[in-house]
Amino acid sequence: MDTVVSALIAALPHGVVDTDPETLDRCSHDDAEWADYGLPAAVVFATSVEDVVAAVRIAAAHGIAIVPRGAGTGLSGGANATAGAVVLSLERMTRVVEVNVAERYAVVEAGVLNDDLRRHVAGFGLWYPPDPASQSISTIGGNVATNAGGICCVKYGVTRDYVLGLTVVLADGRVAKVGRTTAKGVTGYDLAGLFTGSEGTLGIVVDATLKLLPLAGREERAIVGYFRSLTDAGNAVAAVSGAGIIPSALELIDRTCLHAVAEWQGWDLPEGASALLLAKVDEPGGRGEELAARIADAFHAAGGAQVERAVDPDEVARLFSARRLAYPALERLGPVLTEDVCVPRAAVPEMLARIERAAADEDVVIANIAHAGDGNLHPLIIAPEGDDEARRRAKRAFDRIVDDCRALGGTVTGEHGVGLLKLRGAAAELSDVVLELHASIKHALDPAGILNPGKAFPNGAR
């Protein structure tokens, strides 16, 4: 390991390679506290493509694993280091290289924060839609690695829908530019789509060319309603979907989340509130007003109480603040094991009921946050610090939720990625033939298995 570290220090600019024990510990894992990790030999804080190339070539020459890292906000262990690995951080690569207003795209380095990109392109009258809940702290490179979704993806899609092209450093240090800058293009295989969501196991994304939309022409209206049960809220979600309405957001927060946020922020809640649904529509004028009214009616019909509507941007933001605050509010209660399953929209009520049964049977606290409009549920399992038995029960509940999701025709991760925590579920979901395809692609692009080994799919380090 000393040889590798010495080679990195000799090849890279001063200050790029860090071996301070505190840095090694901080960069050894993402926010998935429940996933395994080891202490890396060094952290490389790349500031250029040349830094990334040099680090990869040195790691490859020594047969050392290299683990790409963005801001470390992942929730599946996808950025967790193996012992003695080189962690390659892209967080210092923060340039917005280009904004092309005429063709509506931006070229950005991997370390640009999602929110920073959105603010930057707004100055050009443009909008980048993907908006994970971690948008203020997660990087574009990390979003690409996990194919991140977000609150508005029910209408506008996920990260892959906005990736036009990528610059990728391959496992042997070569640099590949894949994709296009044109609105259409079907030359060759969709390699940009392949690298998006591959969790750093096939190549290291150093910049992305991202499609943008016009900022003008959207008029947001918010509709929120409180429900006495998760089942009622799930029925409201099914009713909105069944009516053919595609909101720009449809989010669910359960009683545990609500009360955690309310206690933290000093809010008063309606009596008996066990779930909150938050919807947005962004069609302008009368069409937007009509859709908002129909969603409000669906909430009322499903048993919703205190249904509120808002058009003023500040009021819309206020009504949705509970969604943004839910996860940090829960973290105040103890370590959180975050699930991420996606079921058919019609199965949302049944999936919520099964989650409640898993919580009762395993005697654990499970809070629910959900992108309910597209069936992407985030059960959050809380276990007291230092309670090993509660931790074991939480893990059993986690595995049971994954199994129930698959039984209802779902997939074991909608946006957080497989990482380490979902390897068991991925093995059950993917057929032997599909796993062989994964292994073949991995071997073709990373024959020595040095890129983020053991992540994204079972036996991923072939």
Side-chain angles (χ1 to χ4, degrees):
M1 296 305 169
D2 290 344
T3 304
V4 175
V5 173
S6 297
L8 290 169
I9 292 172
L12 292 164
H14 177 72
V16 168
V17 181
D18 196 332
T19 58
D20 178 75
E22 185 177 335
T23 302
L24 298 181
D25 182 64
R26 176 176 66 84
C27 294
S28 63
H29 60 86
D30 61 20
D31 280 347
E33 296 183 25
W34 299 64
D36 293 334
Y37 62 90
L39 202 66
V43 180
V44 173
F45 290 98
T47 61
S48 67
V49 177
E50 291 74 22
D51 289 351
V52 176
V53 169
V56 170
R57 285 179 174 167
I58 290 168
H62 291 82
I64 299 298
I66 193 156
V67 179
R69 176 183 172 88
T73 61
L75 294 169
S76 66
N80 284 17
T82 51
V86 173
V87 170
L88 181 55
S89 170
L90 289 303
E91 65 185 83
R92 295 182 185 175
M93 296 182 64
T94 58
R95 289 190 309 142
V96 177
V97 178
E98 178 188 1
V99 177
N100 189 312
V101 177
E103 297 297 329
R104 295 205 292 264
Y105 69 79
V107 181
V108 303
E109 290 185 330
V112 173
L113 295 180
N114 183 292
D115 254 2
D116 287 349
L117 170 62
R118 188 172 288 103
R119 281 191 291 267
H120 186 86
V121 300
F124 296 86
L126 297 170
W127 176 46
Y128 180 65
D131 61 342
S134 59
Q135 60 185 20
S136 64
I137 54 174
S138 64
T139 64
I140 292 298
N143 292 171
V144 171
T146 59
N147 191 25
I151 289 175
C152 75
C153 65
V154 59
K155 179 176 181 179
Y156 289 101
V158 296
T159 300
R160 183 179 282 118
D161 298 308
Y162 295 87
V163 173
L164 294 172
L166 299 169
T167 301
V168 183
V169 176
L170 302 176
D172 58 4
R174 288 180 298 162
V175 178
K177 289 185 176 292
V178 299
R180 63 190 195 280
T181 57
T182 53
K184 295 172 66 177
V186 293
T187 305
Y189 298 132
D190 181 11
L191 297 181
L194 175 65
F195 284 109
T196 303
S198 64
E199 302 185 48
T201 62
L202 303 180
I204 299 169
V205 172
V206 290
D207 71 41
T209 301
L210 302 172
K211 179 174 69 175
L212 305 173
L213 299 182
L215 184 60
R218 299 167 56 247
E219 296 177 11
E220 285 195 332
R221 291 170 168 80
I223 312 96
V224 304
Y226 293 91
F227 294 80
R228 291 189 173 275
S229 72
L230 274 178
T231 301
D232 287 348
N235 289 334
V237 171
V240 171
S241 177
I245 300 171
I246 303 177
S248 57
L250 184 53
E251 300 290 297
L252 179 145
I253 301 174
D254 78 350
R255 183 182 185 281
T256 303
C257 294
L258 272 176
H259 283 260
V261 172
E263 181 179 342
W264 183 25
Q265 299 295 311
W267 295 350
D268 292 325
L269 295 174
E271 185 177 350
S274 291
L276 173 65
L277 276 183
L278 308 99
K280 285 183 190 175
V281 294
D282 60 2
E283 283 81 354
R287 176 60 175 163
E289 186 62 27
E290 175 201 346
L291 291 176
R294 289 173 63 192
I295 291 174
D297 289 344
F299 284 9
H300 281 299
Q306 197 173 316
V307 177
E308 298 181 56
R309 294 171 55 182
V311 177
D312 177 77
D314 290 340
E315 185 66 5
V316 171
R318 183 190 69 80
L319 292 180
F320 261 72
S321 61
R323 176 61 178 86
R324 299 290 185 192
L325 293 170
Y327 191 82
L330 288 170
E331 286 187 308
R332 298 170 70 247
L333 304 180
V336 177
L337 176 56
T338 304
E339 261 291 8
D340 163 41
V341 295
C342 193
V343 298
R345 286 183 291 265
V348 167
E350 175 60 21
M351 189 66 221
L352 289 170
R354 293 192 183 200
I355 292 168
E356 287 189 314
R357 288 199 293 272
D361 291 348
E362 299 295 346
D363 189 26
V364 292
V365 175
I366 302 183
N368 285 279
I369 306 171
H371 305 306
D374 53 21
N376 190 188
L377 310 181
H378 297 319
L380 307 169
I381 309 170
I382 303 166
E385 189 78 52
D387 189 334
D388 291 340
E389 177 54 33
R391 193 180 179 94
R392 283 190 287 271
R393 295 198 306 272
K395 186 60 171 63
R396 287 199 300 268
F398 180 97
D399 290 340
R400 176 170 166 176
I401 289 168
V402 169
D403 292 340
D404 281 341
C405 155
R406 292 182 50 254
L408 292 174
T411 182
V412 301
T413 176
E415 60 184 5
H416 291 173
V418 171
L420 291 171
L421 289 179
K422 291 298 186 71
L423 290 174
R424 172 187 170 276
E429 180 175 329
L430 303 176
S431 71
D432 290 343
V433 172
V434 172
L435 286 171
E436 288 176 11
L437 290 175
H438 278 70
S440 296
I441 294 168
K442 172 70 172 174
H443 183 73
L445 291 173
D446 181 21
I450 67 167
L451 293 179
N452 214 8
K455 314 287 177 56
F457 73 100
N459 302 317
R462 288 282 293 267

